Amino acid sequence: MSKPSVPQGMRDLTPEVVRRRQYIFSTLRNIFEQCGFQPIETPSMENLGTLMGKYGDEGDRLIFKVLNNGLNEAAKHDKTRAALENVLSGRNDANLTERALRYDLTIPFARYVVMHQHELQFPFRRYQMQPVWRADRPQKGRYREFWQCDCDIVGTNSLINEAELLYIYREAFYRLQVPQVIVRINSRKVLTGIAQFCGAEEKLVDITTAIDKLDKIGSEGVSKELQQRGLTEEQLNNILRLINIRDLAEMEAAFSEKEIHTGLDGIKELKDTLAYHDTLGSSTWNNSEIKIDFTLARGLSYYTGVIVEVNCADERVQMGSIGGGGRYDDLTGLFGLKNLSGVGVSFGIDRIYDVMEQLELFPESIAVGTKAMIVNTGGANEHYALGILQQLRTKGIAAEIYPEPVKFDKQMKYIFNRNIPFSIIIENEERETNTVRVKGFPEAGQLRMGIDELIEKLA
Amino acid sequence: MSKPSVPQGMRDLTPEVVRRRQYIFSTLRNIFEQCGFQPIETPSMENLGTLMGKYGDEGDRLIFKVLNNGLNEAAKHDKTRAALENVLSGRNDANLTERALRYDLTIPFARYVVMHQHELQFPFRRYQMQPVWRADRPQKGRYREFWQCDCDIVGTNSLINEAELLYIYREAFYRLQVPQVIVRINSRKVLTGIAQFCGAEEKLVDITTAIDKLDKIGSEGVSKELQQRGLTEEQLNNILRLINIRDLAEMEAAFSEKEIHTGLDGIKELKDTLAYHDTLGSSTWNNSEIKIDFTLARGLSYYTGVIVEVNCADERVQMGSIGGGGRYDDLTGLFGLKNLSGVGVSFGIDRIYDVMEQLELFPESIAVGTKAMIVNTGGANEHYALGILQQLRTKGIAAEIYPEPVKFDKQMKYIFNRNIPFSIIIENEERETNTVRVKGFPEAGQLRMGIDELIEKLA
């Protein structure tokens, strides 16, 4: 028998990890619910046609396809032979696979909105926390099965929604106590404005792509890349000047000077969003700030308005963005429902987990499951102990009994290894006097007490 | 563009359904944690070798296999051509697929225990709530993606564990308020005893299979089936006599008479389990009972001791078992770890959901997300409203603002359709006097009040 293992890029989650993840999920869920978002879930599998062509060629390749059931029985038929020949020549074929695993939460959400449009009340605010699968090459911190957590609002153009999403980010990272959170914000319209300013709107994608790399390749790298794309010296200088602006008013002045309307729209959207956010925001937030960043581009082409990205700037953490999102004007158009604007953000659960683990931000209380374990000394003591166990649980105290009357030391070692804070010892004397002895770790010694006192101590 | 759809046998979960399911999950999770069970999660995909051959031929056929990534690129290679030829002749091939989706939670748990044996503390109690996938023919109440919820204890033979699991079933269905819950209990050893009693131990599987169908085909059907399997008239009469016994003492007497040791062991296990359970059980349970049922067999061959199955006997419900489980002595042996006894039970989440929906057992409070929505009247009122929204949320009140200042009637209709219990109306007069008007549904009329009073009303 070969040693059992899990598939590459996948992992078992131990109790400690599950509890910590639950803590993140429930913190986020509480905020979403408080802000009126409703939970939905979509199936793990979608029809292949729903997913293919939505994530670029790279995405198509990384989607996990599910083999049709009953393939073996069908293998006798000619069409299956033809299907396999198709695969041999590098094509997918519906006779081999017609289903695939969810690749993100955005496309299934768009599909959901279109399918359920007649039963939904618009504006519709939903949140969704589910795993997605990608056949990426596994590496540290990158898994083939990982969790996404998205919240979106569709069916409204109001910038109050953008402000709400900023609220959600800051409130979430406040409750999770992640330090030095930077929420960067920009608008796709400002990026378009910058391209127009330089008279290079037709090179918008090239410009955006280059600017997006500023962090990694610096101004010189950006210049070089844009020169290769055919931008003139003057255009280049203009771009470098504009993206170094840190201030809305200054950018507004630049756009006004050349009457760049799209750029001015973008500036106004950012201003209104921030004004709404100031009113809505909490004065207790002390761990996050919002920064205008005209170099923020975000790769996905479906964004059309305000875009946002979150990082943790704590120097102990070397981590990319832990969240991001923005406004998209026609996502449901992919499935035939036009003119429905939406805006949404995503939380990178696995990265947030890694940051919190590295900075030791998980409250200790999460790790504790069982509060007390009764040492089993067998015989009549066992039934006496079960009665006490029943009373503890009735009072909501998480408690166990060691199921077998094995050696005392073995039981104490088990309780210690499990990190259970209290052990309860019952021998004949305790049973006869209706008491227990209690040992708390790491304190030395044991205390005898009555059942009421025990409940009070543990509650 | 074709109309979007989800794959056959899969479904979207609407907010109402997700909230109700969450209610079931969190009720169960609380009980598990209170009884010292720890949560684990395993990956959605397992290596094909981990799953194949564990669920019988039928199971092998119903396992969803995942196509290897990069198959298309590999198609040029001869080994892929060979793989496809293998599929054509009805075999699986590692070059085509080497991963499959989880089929149940039991086999992945056994694999988990073996892989993590050196870091686990035994006895190990775990619970696990995750989806599983089966390519079964979809029908009413049967999906290709559905949730299982298991709790198991491995590494101990003590019958206290059996009693704990009975406790968990009864406490769970008590908290969920499912009426007329019958927890049937038997032992595989009693079934073996019955076969030995008749001198037909070699026909144990036939006898068990026939008895299992007693409900559906009646005594006559069982007789007929066993006659066909070659049992004598006398053997038949003995079986029918024994399985009609409803009493432990009577069965014990029968086994004693012929010195059937395995049967007597089974009786003692049932007696001890029930005695432990009586001590551990709660006096408040008024909706469930435990019944000895010597005809209970449960199909899976890996059970070796006490077995249990749960039904809802309410006549409005036509539903099979809503839970079941038992003791297995060598599950981890499949993966090379011998002599580790375990016992576990499973909750059929989707069926429990259906029962609770049909009997209208979900508390109304689950359905309510947002408690209050502010009607948006635009202009300066908008910012005044956002300030109030901020205060409500700080007090933990789930609240929203309609994001756009559209027509009053449209907003009120939206609030009504969303089932939001309170609407908050702010016009110039309210803003100037630092008040709001509140309308509660379905009450008529609106009340003007200050912000403190509003918070008090909604909290």
Side-chain angles (χ1 to χ4, degrees):
Chain A
M1 189 173 324
S2 65
K3 236 176 130 179
S5 62
V6 296
Q8 213 196 357
M10 314 240 163
R11 58 205 158 138
D12 286 326
L13 304 181
T14 63
E16 189 184 27
V17 175
V18 173
R19 288 214 174 91
R20 289 174 165 195
R21 289 164 55 97
Q22 284 288 351
Y23 172 71
I24 297 176
F25 287 129
S26 70
T27 302
L28 296 179
R29 186 182 295 122
N30 283 339
I31 297 172
F32 296 146
E33 293 277 347
Q34 209 167 310
C35 295
F37 288 79
Q38 299 182 286
I40 69 160
E41 292 181 12
T42 60
S44 300
M45 290 182 215
E46 294 278 352
N47 291 321
L48 206 52
T50 301
L51 304 185
M52 296 297 279
K54 307 302 192 299
Y55 308 102
D57 290 348
E58 174 77 354
D60 282 356
R61 219 172 47 75
L62 299 183
I63 290 170
F64 274 114
K65 288 110 192 158
V66 177
L67 213 54
N68 284 355
N69 172 247
L71 182 70
N72 295 354
E73 289 91 280
K76 331 176 180 100
H77 302 302
D78 287 349
K79 64 172 187 176
T80 307
R81 182 168 285 273
L84 295 176
E85 286 299 328
N86 261 340
V87 174
L88 281 173
S89 33
R91 292 188 289 272
N92 283 310
D93 190 293
N95 289 307
L96 188 66
T97 170
E98 52 193 7
R99 283 174 289 262
L101 293 176
R102 192 167 48 218
Y103 186 81
D104 75 353
L105 301 181
T106 306
I107 294 296
F109 172 56
R111 197 260 313 135
Y112 180 98
V113 169
V114 175
M115 273 181 71
H116 297 262
Q117 57 183 291
H118 300 299
E119 64 204 69
L120 293 179
Q121 304 296 324
F122 292 102
F124 177 57
R125 334 183 116 201
R126 84 85 169 79
Y127 69 93
Q128 192 171 353
M129 309 197 275
Q130 291 192 279
V132 302
W133 296 269
R134 295 182 185 180
D136 242 322
R137 188 191 303 273
Q139 59 184 52
K140 193 178 174 310
R142 192 207 278 161
Y143 298 97
R144 290 183 154 187
E145 172 175 53
F146 59 97
W147 265 251
Q148 289 193 336
C149 170
D150 282 18
C151 61
D152 288 80
I153 309 155
V154 292
T156 158
N157 293 300
S158 165
L159 295 162
I160 288 181
N161 300 302
E162 271 81 344
E164 292 255 55
L165 295 172
L166 294 178
Y167 173 91
I168 283 173
Y169 266 146
R170 297 188 70 183
E171 181 68 13
F173 290 114
Y174 174 68
R175 292 200 200 174
L176 295 174
Q177 286 293 298
V178 176
Q180 298 185 53
V181 169
I182 313 290
V183 181
R184 290 181 300 143
I185 181 171
N186 192 14
S187 167
R188 275 294 175 117
K189 291 176 186 164
V190 170
L191 292 169
T192 305
I194 291 174
Q196 287 176 348
F197 187 98
C198 313
E201 197 183 351
E202 79 288 357
K203 297 226 164 73
L204 175 61
V205 174
D206 290 336
I207 294 172
T208 309
T209 311
I211 290 177
D212 212 11
K213 297 186 208 157
L214 186 66
D215 267 2
K216 285 177 198 150
I217 61 179
S219 290
E220 261 179 61
V222 171
S223 299
K224 211 165 157 186
E225 182 158 331
L226 288 178
Q227 256 167 345
Q228 286 166 357
R229 301 284 174 179
L231 268 77
T232 67
E233 184 88 12
E234 193 198 338
Q235 287 175 325
L236 260 178
N237 289 338
N238 274 327
I239 288 176
L240 291 179
R241 177 167 75 83
L242 290 176
I243 63 173
N244 276 310
I245 294 175
R246 294 279 166 274
D247 183 74
L248 280 170
E250 198 180 328
M251 186 66 90
E252 188 174 20
F255 286 147
S256 294
E257 176 194 326
K258 292 210 187 181
E259 291 184 35
I260 311 285
H261 297 294
T262 308
L264 288 170
D265 281 353
I267 295 292
K268 181 164 177 355
E269 285 179 4
L270 289 171
K271 274 187 173 171
D272 288 352
T273 297
L274 293 175
Y276 282 134
H277 170 262
D278 282 347
T279 313
L280 194 61
S282 163
S283 58
T284 56
W285 294 334
N286 54 8
N287 63 322
S288 64
E289 58 180 307
I290 295 200
K291 268 192 185 164
I292 299 282
D293 181 353
F294 294 122
T295 71
L296 177 67
R298 288 189 67 72
L300 288 168
S301 57
Y302 56 68
Y303 291 123
T304 51
V306 170
I307 49 179
V308 59
E309 199 166 292
V310 186
N311 288 76
C312 172
D314 188 296
E315 61 189 7
R316 290 167 293 173
V317 173
Q318 301 295 325
M319 181 71 77
S321 72
I322 53 178
R327 179 169 289 275
Y328 42 85
D329 273 343
D330 197 27
L331 200 62
T332 55
L334 290 169
F335 301 106
L337 180 62
K338 299 282 180 200
N339 300 321
L340 195 69
S341 186
V343 57
V345 294
S346 184
F347 286 83
I349 296 295
D350 299 78
R351 285 183 172 184
I352 293 169
Y353 181 95
D354 288 348
V355 168
M356 291 185 63
E357 186 166 68
Q358 198 181 340
L359 301 181
E360 299 177 3
L361 301 176
F362 289 106
E364 262 185 44
S365 57
I366 303 173
V368 178
T370 299
K371 192 116 182 221
M373 181 159 226
I374 304 177
V375 175
N376 189 335
T377 55
N381 297 337
E382 218 173 36
H383 274 271
Y384 174 67
L386 287 176
I388 290 170
L389 187 59
Q390 194 272 328
Q391 290 182 62
L392 293 177
R393 289 180 180 168
T394 302
K395 298 289 176 189
I397 298 159
E400 293 174 61
I401 183 171
Y402 197 96
E404 284 166 271
V406 296
K407 276 195 186 138
F408 186 82
D409 286 353
K410 186 177 174 187
Q411 297 189 46
M412 290 306 276
K413 194 177 158 204
Y414 176 86
I415 296 170
F416 180 80
N417 285 341
R418 284 270 314 273
N419 274 319
I420 296 173
F422 293 98
S423 57
I424 299 169
I425 300 142
I426 293 167
E427 291 181 295
N428 294 348
E429 198 178 333
E430 283 73 33
R431 176 171 49 81
E432 283 155 11
T433 56
N434 214 21
T435 58
V436 296
R437 273 180 295 143
V438 179
K439 171 164 174 40
F441 295 97
E443 308 145 36
Q446 304 169 2
L447 274 176
R448 173 170 294 139
M449 58 184 73
I451 313 306
D452 289 346
E453 200 182 337
L454 171 71
I455 288 170
E456 203 173 300
K457 187 177 176 69
L458 299 180
Chain B
M1 187 173 324
S2 64
K3 234 175 131 181
S5 62
V6 295
Q8 212 197 357
M10 314 242 165
R11 58 205 159 138
D12 286 326
L13 303 182
T14 63
E16 189 184 28
V17 175
V18 173
R19 288 214 174 93
R20 289 175 166 194
R21 288 163 56 97
Q22 284 287 352
Y23 172 72
I24 297 176
F25 287 130
S26 70
T27 302
L28 296 180
R29 186 183 294 122
N30 283 340
I31 297 171
F32 296 146
E33 292 278 348
Q34 208 168 312
C35 295
F37 287 79
Q38 300 182 287
I40 70 161
E41 292 181 11
T42 60
S44 300
M45 289 181 215
E46 294 279 351
N47 291 321
L48 206 52
T50 301
L51 303 185
M52 296 296 279
K54 307 302 192 299
Y55 307 102
D57 291 348
E58 175 77 356
D60 282 356
R61 218 172 48 75
L62 299 183
I63 290 171
F64 274 114
K65 288 109 192 160
V66 177
L67 213 54
N68 284 356
N69 172 248
L71 182 69
N72 294 355
E73 289 92 281
K76 332 173 180 105
H77 303 301
D78 288 348
K79 64 172 185 174
T80 306
R81 183 168 285 274
L84 295 178
E85 287 299 328
N86 261 339
V87 175
L88 282 173
S89 32
R91 291 188 290 271
N92 283 309
D93 190 293
N95 288 306
L96 188 68
T97 170
E98 50 193 9
R99 283 174 288 264
L101 293 175
R102 192 167 47 218
Y103 186 80
D104 75 354
L105 302 181
T106 307
I107 294 296
F109 173 57
R111 197 258 316 135
Y112 180 99
V113 169
V114 175
M115 274 180 71
H116 298 260
Q117 56 183 290
H118 301 299
E119 64 203 67
L120 294 180
Q121 304 296 324
F122 293 103
F124 177 57
R125 333 183 116 200
R126 84 86 170 78
Y127 69 93
Q128 192 172 353
M129 308 196 278
Q130 292 192 280
V132 301
W133 295 270
R134 295 184 186 180
D136 241 322
R137 187 192 304 272
Q139 58 184 53
K140 191 175 176 307
R142 192 208 278 162
Y143 299 98
R144 289 181 157 188
E145 171 177 53
F146 59 97
W147 266 250
Q148 289 193 335
C149 170
D150 282 17
C151 61
D152 288 80
I153 309 154
V154 292
T156 159
N157 293 300
S158 164
L159 295 162
I160 288 182
N161 300 301
E162 273 79 345
E164 292 255 53
L165 295 172
L166 294 177
Y167 172 91
I168 284 173
Y169 266 146
R170 298 187 70 183
E171 181 69 14
F173 290 113
Y174 175 69
R175 292 201 199 173
L176 295 173
Q177 285 294 298
V178 176
Q180 298 185 53
V181 169
I182 313 289
V183 181
R184 288 180 303 144
I185 181 172
N186 193 12
S187 166
R188 276 293 174 118
K189 290 177 186 165
V190 170
L191 293 169
T192 306
I194 290 173
Q196 287 177 347
F197 187 97
C198 313
E201 197 182 352
E202 78 288 355
K203 297 227 164 72
L204 176 60
V205 174
D206 291 336
I207 293 171
T208 310
T209 311
I211 289 176
D212 212 10
K213 297 186 208 157
L214 186 65
D215 267 2
K216 285 177 199 149
I217 59 177
S219 290
E220 261 178 63
V222 172
S223 298
K224 211 165 157 185
E225 182 160 332
L226 287 177
Q227 255 166 345
Q228 285 164 357
R229 301 285 174 177
L231 268 77
T232 66
E233 183 89 13
E234 193 198 336
Q235 287 176 326
L236 261 178
N237 288 337
N238 273 327
I239 288 177
L240 291 179
R241 177 168 75 86
L242 290 176
I243 63 175
N244 277 309
I245 293 176
R246 294 280 165 272
D247 183 73
L248 280 170
E250 198 181 327
M251 187 67 90
E252 188 175 20
F255 286 145
S256 294
E257 177 196 326
K258 291 209 186 183
E259 292 184 33
I260 311 287
H261 297 295
T262 309
L264 287 169
D265 281 355
I267 294 293
K268 180 161 181 353
E269 286 179 4
L270 289 171
K271 273 186 174 174
D272 288 352
T273 298
L274 292 176
Y276 283 134
H277 170 262
D278 282 347
T279 313
L280 195 60
S282 163
S283 58
T284 56
W285 293 333
N286 54 7
N287 63 322
S288 64
E289 57 180 307
I290 296 198
K291 267 193 186 165
I292 300 281
D293 180 353
F294 295 122
T295 71
L296 177 67
R298 288 190 67 71
L300 288 166
S301 56
Y302 57 67
Y303 291 123
T304 51
V306 169
I307 49 178
V308 58
E309 199 167 291
V310 186
N311 288 75
C312 172
D314 188 298
E315 62 190 7
R316 290 167 293 172
V317 174
Q318 300 294 325
M319 182 70 77
S321 72
I322 53 178
R327 180 168 289 274
Y328 42 85
D329 273 343
D330 196 28
L331 200 61
T332 55
L334 290 168
F335 301 106
L337 181 61
K338 300 282 181 200
N339 299 322
L340 195 69
S341 185
V343 58
V345 294
S346 185
F347 285 83
I349 297 296
D350 299 78
R351 284 185 171 183
I352 293 169
Y353 181 95
D354 288 347
V355 168
M356 290 184 64
E357 186 165 69
Q358 198 182 339
L359 300 181
E360 299 178 2
L361 300 176
F362 290 106
E364 263 185 44
S365 58
I366 303 173
V368 178
T370 299
K371 192 118 181 216
M373 181 159 227
I374 303 178
V375 175
N376 190 334
T377 55
N381 297 337
E382 218 174 37
H383 274 272
Y384 174 66
L386 286 176
I388 289 170
L389 187 59
Q390 195 271 326
Q391 290 181 62
L392 292 178
R393 288 180 180 168
T394 302
K395 298 290 177 190
I397 296 159
E400 293 174 61
I401 184 171
Y402 197 95
E404 285 166 271
V406 297
K407 278 198 186 133
F408 185 82
D409 285 353
K410 186 178 173 186
Q411 297 190 46
M412 290 306 274
K413 193 175 160 205
Y414 177 85
I415 296 170
F416 181 78
N417 285 342
R418 283 270 312 275
N419 273 320
I420 296 173
F422 294 97
S423 58
I424 299 169
I425 300 142
I426 293 166
E427 291 181 293
N428 294 348
E429 196 178 335
E430 284 74 33
R431 175 171 49 81
E432 283 153 13
T433 55
N434 213 23
T435 57
V436 296
R437 274 180 293 142
V438 179
K439 171 163 173 40
F441 294 97
E443 307 144 37
Q446 304 169 2
L447 272 175
R448 173 170 293 140
M449 58 184 72
I451 312 305
D452 289 345
E453 199 182 336
L454 172 70
I455 289 170
E456 203 173 300
K457 188 178 174 68
L458 298 181

